């Protein structure tokens, strides 16, 4: 054999070996196609598949190229990218239905923050299914890719060795747990490793004291995945704004969930690590109860303005008649009807005076008795006036609205409430409101705060605050889930299960009961001795009436003496 023919033969043998090492056997290809078709059938909505080739030499020339050219996958929505493609929130789904990755001969530089592949997988949801096509002849390639997925805590990863029939399944820390020499049914291939966390706890945090129903939710979820719940305080503080807190949570990658609810205006791709709360929330305004009558209103409010018009008109009319016709009455009408003073015996008066005065005496007797009864009832149980039920009434009243601007800075841009807003003090909370200003709160806690004994008026026998009938806005509250936490799907599942079974409502009722017990224990020594008793302040209107009467009598007495003295001269 001549040298040229030998060279051609060796070249053909090399090419065949190269192709054999880069192209999968037909069984692998058929199984992968069947797997994608099965997942597409099970998908609710659009099935989106990302095909990623990390090979440095000839991407899409072998394994992925043949897979992409398969006519059976023409209906699949696909995104085809290579190792140099830079993923953003806009150019690629953050949680595709499946990622098929050909690792090839790429050794990933894990320590380099500028590594494109490292950043790309950070943008993707850690609960995404990943099918990694590997060749065990390049152990460094497999090792770096595996450590990258473990670093970002992907929990549904399957490694397929495409030069032989072998499938590797790994646990949470990247240790091979199962080596399959056969192709399992597609529905059994992807299993989440979140149920086997190898002692890793569910780490949660909160700005202040976490709401106990949410803590129980995380604790029960930890039992479900055979681990424990670990509370990590201090990641965010009460003084932080919402945006600052989210920045701290993103930096603290060990956090799985923050049990603070964040209100959102709209959903964007950047918020995919937020878990929606099971119930929407709305903002409501807590306004002070209507104020009691002042001293002047105590004298005026027993009669409506129509009644006062009738009484005063009758007195003025009868007084005008006595002035115009001096001989008509012997008694002064006002002194007779109001004070009961007779200058002359009414029995000896003329018939026309009796006809006028006797019905008026009965009428004013009834009116004054009703007036006195009303005054006494006002003193024992002061009525209120000026109840605010709408936002428009709140604006007209001029009452300021206190709110925690660190949690709700957007309220300053509200065209209705913005001019009324004043910030709450750092040591102030809804547990003890000042009784003067209105407060902005969530509906979740507003009702409990209103019925707290700290906000109860024992003298008026009612809460100090009431809720406006109008809600300011409805919003979807979100929990932040750690950017690399694999527990988002588990937390979503348990939250929905606990809500649908009524456990969340039971936990909330128990939390309210415990709060009420503590509230009552705090106010067990409340001084209630004077509640329901008439005090000196309650009789102010009586002292005013007595003082006005004495002063008026003294003035008339002095005037009478003056006129008598001047008459002698």
């Amino acid at each position: 054999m001549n040298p040229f023919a030998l060279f051609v033969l060796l070249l053909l043998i090399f090419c065949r070996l190269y192709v054999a090492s880069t192209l999968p056997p037909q069984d692998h290809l058929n199984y992968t196609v069947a797997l994608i078709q099965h997942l597409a059938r099970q998908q609710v909505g659009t099935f989106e598949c990302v095909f990623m080739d990390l090979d440095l030499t000839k991407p899409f020339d072998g394994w992925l190229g043949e897979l992409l050219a398969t006519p059976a996958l023409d209906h699949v929505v696909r995104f085809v990218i290579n190792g140099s493609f830079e993923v953003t929130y806009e150019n690629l789904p953050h949680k595709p239905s499946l990622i098929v990755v050909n690792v090839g001969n790429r050794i990933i530089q894990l320590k380099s923050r500028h590594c494109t592949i490292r950043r790309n997988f950070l943008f993707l949801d850690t609960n995404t299914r990943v099918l990694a096509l590997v060749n065990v002849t390049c152990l460094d390639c497999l090792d770096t890719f595996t450590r990258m997925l473990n670093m970002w805590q992907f929990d549904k990863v399957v490694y397929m060795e495409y030069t032989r029939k072998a499938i590797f399944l790994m646990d949470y820390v990247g240790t091979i747990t199962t080596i399959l020499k056969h192709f399992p049914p597609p529905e059994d291939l992807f299993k989440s490793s979140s149920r086997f966390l190898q002692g890793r706890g569910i780490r949660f945090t909160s700005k202040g004291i976490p709401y106990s129903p949410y803590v129980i939710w995380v604790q029960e979820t930890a039992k479900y995945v055979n681990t424990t719940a670990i509370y990590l305080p201090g990641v965010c503080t009460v003084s932080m704004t919402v945006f600052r807190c989210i920045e701290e949570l993103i930096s603290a990658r060990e956090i799985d969930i923050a049990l603070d609810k964040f209100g959102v205006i709209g959903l964007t791709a950047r918020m995919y690590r937020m878990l929606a709360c099971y119930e929407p929330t709305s903002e409501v305004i807590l306004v002070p109860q209507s104020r009691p009558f002042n001293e002047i209103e105590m004298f005026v409010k027993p009669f409506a303005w129509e009644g006062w018009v009738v009484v005063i008109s009758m007195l003025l009319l009868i007084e005008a008649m006595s002035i115009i016709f001096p001989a008509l009455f012997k008694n002064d009408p006002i002194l007779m009807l109001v004070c009961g003073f007779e200058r002359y015996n009414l029995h000896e008066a003329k018939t026309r005076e009796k006809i006028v005065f006797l019905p008026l005496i009965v009428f004013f007797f009834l009116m004054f008795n009703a007036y006195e009864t009303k005054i006494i009832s006002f003193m024992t149980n002061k009525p209120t006036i000026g109840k605010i039920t709408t936002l428009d009434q709140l604006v007209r009243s001029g009452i300021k609205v206190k709110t925690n601007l660190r949690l709700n800075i957007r309220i300053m841009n509200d065209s209705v409430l913005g001019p009324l807003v004043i910030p709450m003090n750092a040591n102030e909370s809804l547990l003890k409101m000042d009784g003067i200003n209105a407060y902005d709160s969530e509906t979740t806690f507003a009702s409990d705060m209103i019925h707290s004994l700290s906000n109860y008026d024992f003298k008026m026998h009612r809460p100090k605050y009431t809720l406006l009938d109008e809600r300011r806005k409805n919003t979807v509250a979100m929990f932040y889930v750690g950017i690399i936490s694999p527990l988002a799907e588990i937390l979503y599942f348990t939250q929905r299960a606990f809500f649908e079974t009524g456990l969340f409502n039971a936990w909330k009722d128990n939390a309210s009961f415990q709060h009420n017990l503590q509230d009552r224990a705090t106010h067990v020594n409340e001084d209630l001795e004077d509640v329901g008793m008439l005090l000196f302040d309650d009789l102010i209107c009586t002292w005013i009436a007595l003082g006005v009467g004495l002063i008026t009598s003294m003035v008339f007495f002095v005037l009478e003496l003056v006129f008598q003295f001047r008459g002698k001269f």
Side-chain angles (χ1 to χ4, degrees):
M1 182 180 293
N2 59 38
F4 180 76
L6 180 60
F7 174 76
V8 172
L9 179 60
L10 292 176
L11 181 61
L12 290 175
I13 295 173
F14 175 79
C15 291
R16 178 150 182 108
L17 292 174
Y18 175 79
V19 172
S21 64
T22 55
L23 293 180
Q26 196 64 29
D27 291 344
H28 292 66
L29 186 62
N30 293 338
Y31 179 75
T32 306
V33 172
L35 173 66
I36 295 176
Q37 290 177 330
H38 169 78
L39 295 177
R41 287 193 299 268
Q42 301 298 319
Q43 178 74 28
V44 177
T46 304
F47 181 83
E48 298 171 325
C49 187
V50 175
F51 296 91
M52 183 185 302
D53 198 335
L54 306 183
D55 196 284
L56 292 171
T57 55
K58 294 180 179 180
F60 306 108
D61 190 34
W63 162 242
L64 280 187
E66 191 166 327
L67 182 63
L68 291 171
T70 304
L73 301 181
D74 289 343
H75 66 286
V76 173
V77 177
R78 65 188 68 183
F79 298 86
V80 182
I81 61 177
N82 57 22
S84 61
F85 181 84
E86 293 187 5
V87 176
T88 66
Y89 290 110
E90 289 76 24
N91 62 11
L92 201 73
H94 69 273
K95 188 178 181 181
S97 306
L98 176 66
I99 301 177
V100 180
V101 185
N102 179 30
V103 179
N105 58 355
R106 174 67 68 99
I107 299 177
I108 302 173
Q109 304 298 323
L110 295 179
K111 295 183 179 180
S112 174
R113 293 183 176 272
H114 301 288
C115 178
T116 304
I117 300 174
R118 181 178 183 269
R119 292 202 311 270
N120 287 348
F121 276 88
L122 180 60
F123 275 95
L124 299 173
D125 195 294
T126 56
N127 294 127
T128 304
R129 302 183 189 95
V130 179
L131 177 61
L133 310 173
V134 298
N135 188 344
V136 294
T137 58
C138 183
L139 293 179
D140 290 338
C141 305
L142 176 61
D143 178 64
T144 54
F145 184 78
T146 302
R147 286 195 288 121
M148 181 192 67
L149 294 185
N150 292 337
M151 179 173 61
W152 297 149
Q153 301 186 26
F154 281 78
D155 72 323
K156 297 187 183 78
V157 184
V158 174
Y159 297 89
M160 179 184 291
E161 218 291 332
Y162 56 77
T163 61
R164 57 181 63 87
K165 185 182 289 187
I167 292 179
F168 305 97
L169 302 180
M170 297 189 182
D171 60 12
Y172 169 75
V173 295
T175 303
I176 297 177
T177 58
T178 306
I179 300 178
L180 301 177
K181 297 295 185 179
H182 64 280
F183 295 130
E187 60 271 14
D188 297 334
L189 183 61
F190 290 100
K191 299 295 183 180
S192 175
S193 60
S194 299
R195 296 294 303 274
F196 308 98
L197 296 179
Q198 302 290 331
R200 176 195 184 279
I202 299 181
R203 297 166 296 220
F204 68 97
T205 186
S206 178
K207 279 189 172 183
I209 300 176
Y211 189 39
S212 59
Y214 299 154
V215 176
I216 298 174
W217 162 39
V218 175
Q219 291 173 342
E220 294 300 319
T221 303
K223 294 179 182 178
Y224 175 70
V225 295
N226 304 314
T227 187
T228 57
I230 303 173
Y231 178 53
L232 300 179
V235 178
C236 292
T237 61
V238 178
S239 61
M240 286 185 182
T241 63
V242 173
F243 302 106
R244 175 63 176 167
C245 180
I246 292 179
E247 289 178 359
E248 293 294 329
L249 291 172
I250 293 175
S251 301
R253 293 178 177 174
E254 71 276 7
I255 296 299
D256 289 309
I257 187 171
L259 298 184
D260 301 297
K261 293 195 295 185
F262 299 97
V264 297
I265 298 178
L267 298 177
T268 63
R270 292 177 177 270
M271 297 171 57
Y272 78 92
R273 299 305 293 176
M274 305 292 279
L275 177 63
C277 184
Y278 60 89
E279 60 180 357
T281 185
S282 59
E283 289 186 18
V284 66
I285 307 298
L286 289 72
V287 294
Q289 289 273 23
S290 49
R291 63 175 179 81
F293 287 166
N294 57 36
E295 284 71 22
I296 296 177
E297 290 169 337
M298 291 278 283
F299 287 103
V300 175
K301 291 298 182 180
F303 293 154
W305 66 270
E306 296 90 348
W308 285 113
V309 169
V310 172
V311 171
I312 295 174
S313 299
M314 293 179 66
L315 290 175
L316 293 178
L317 180 62
I318 196 71
E319 184 67 23
M321 290 176 60
S322 67
I323 294 174
I324 296 173
F325 306 102
L328 185 61
F329 305 125
K330 291 185 178 181
N331 289 291
D332 184 271
I334 293 181
L335 292 178
M336 182 68 184
L337 299 176
V338 177
C339 303
F341 293 155
E342 290 182 317
R343 287 185 177 180
Y344 302 97
N345 193 337
L346 188 60
H347 298 286
E348 298 177 359
K350 296 179 181 180
T351 303
R352 58 189 178 188
E353 185 172 348
K354 293 180 181 180
I355 293 175
V356 174
F357 276 176
L358 287 177
L360 290 176
I361 289 174
V362 175
F363 172 77
F364 279 98
F365 172 77
L366 296 176
M367 293 291 288
F368 290 155
N369 271 278
Y371 184 82
E372 292 170 1
T373 303
K374 279 280 192 179
I375 287 290
I376 294 173
S377 67
F378 286 175
M379 288 190 296
T380 56
N381 187 14
K382 287 186 178 181
T384 58
I385 190 173
K387 183 177 181 180
I388 299 174
T389 58
T390 64
L391 288 175
D392 186 56
Q393 293 175 352
L394 175 64
V395 173
R396 291 202 305 268
S397 69
I399 296 177
K400 298 298 182 181
V401 179
K402 283 191 172 183
T403 187
N404 190 342
L405 295 181
R406 293 181 296 273
L407 302 178
N408 190 13
I409 189 63
R410 294 190 184 97
I411 196 174
M412 297 296 295
N413 300 325
D414 191 284
S415 58
V416 177
L417 297 179
L420 303 177
V421 171
I422 57 176
M424 292 175 60
N425 298 325
N427 57 350
E428 191 174 7
S429 71
L430 297 180
L431 290 173
K432 190 171 182 61
M433 294 177 278
D434 56 19
I436 301 174
N437 299 292
Y439 287 82
D440 173 68
S441 174
E442 292 183 18
T443 53
T444 308
F445 306 105
S447 180
D448 291 337
M449 296 301 100
I450 283 179
H451 294 95
S452 172
L453 293 181
S454 303
N455 297 315
Y456 189 80
D457 190 340
F458 291 95
K459 187 172 183 181
M460 300 295 293
H461 304 287
R462 65 179 188 181
K464 295 180 181 179
Y465 279 79
T466 185
L467 296 178
L468 285 187
D469 297 333
E470 299 180 29
R471 297 294 187 265
R472 180 173 173 265
K473 67 177 182 181
N474 291 323
T475 185
V476 177
M478 311 288 281
F479 296 105
Y480 174 83
V481 179
I483 191 170
I484 60 172
S485 173
L487 299 171
E489 289 185 348
I490 296 292
L491 290 167
Y492 170 76
F493 168 75
T494 56
Q495 179 191 216
R496 184 181 62 182
F498 294 150
F499 173 68
E500 292 177 352
T501 56
L503 288 175
F504 255 119
N505 290 332
W507 296 337
K508 290 174 64 177
D509 292 342
N510 184 61
S512 298
F513 178 74
Q514 295 297 329
H515 169 75
N516 292 336
L517 285 181
Q518 185 177 2
D519 195 37
R520 291 170 185 169
T522 305
H523 296 81
V524 68
N525 296 323
E526 188 77 30
D527 187 9
L528 303 178
E529 294 181 1
D530 297 331
V531 175
M533 304 292 291
L534 279 176
L535 303 178
F536 183 86
D537 292 340
D538 298 323
L539 301 175
I540 289 180
C541 57
T542 305
W543 309 127
I544 292 176
L546 179 61
V548 171
L550 290 175
I551 293 173
T552 304
S553 301
M554 185 63 66
V555 170
F556 279 104
F557 178 71
V558 171
L559 290 176
E560 187 175 356
L561 292 178
V562 171
F563 285 127
Q564 288 180 357
F565 180 76
R566 292 180 61 184
K568 293 181 180 181
F569 297 95

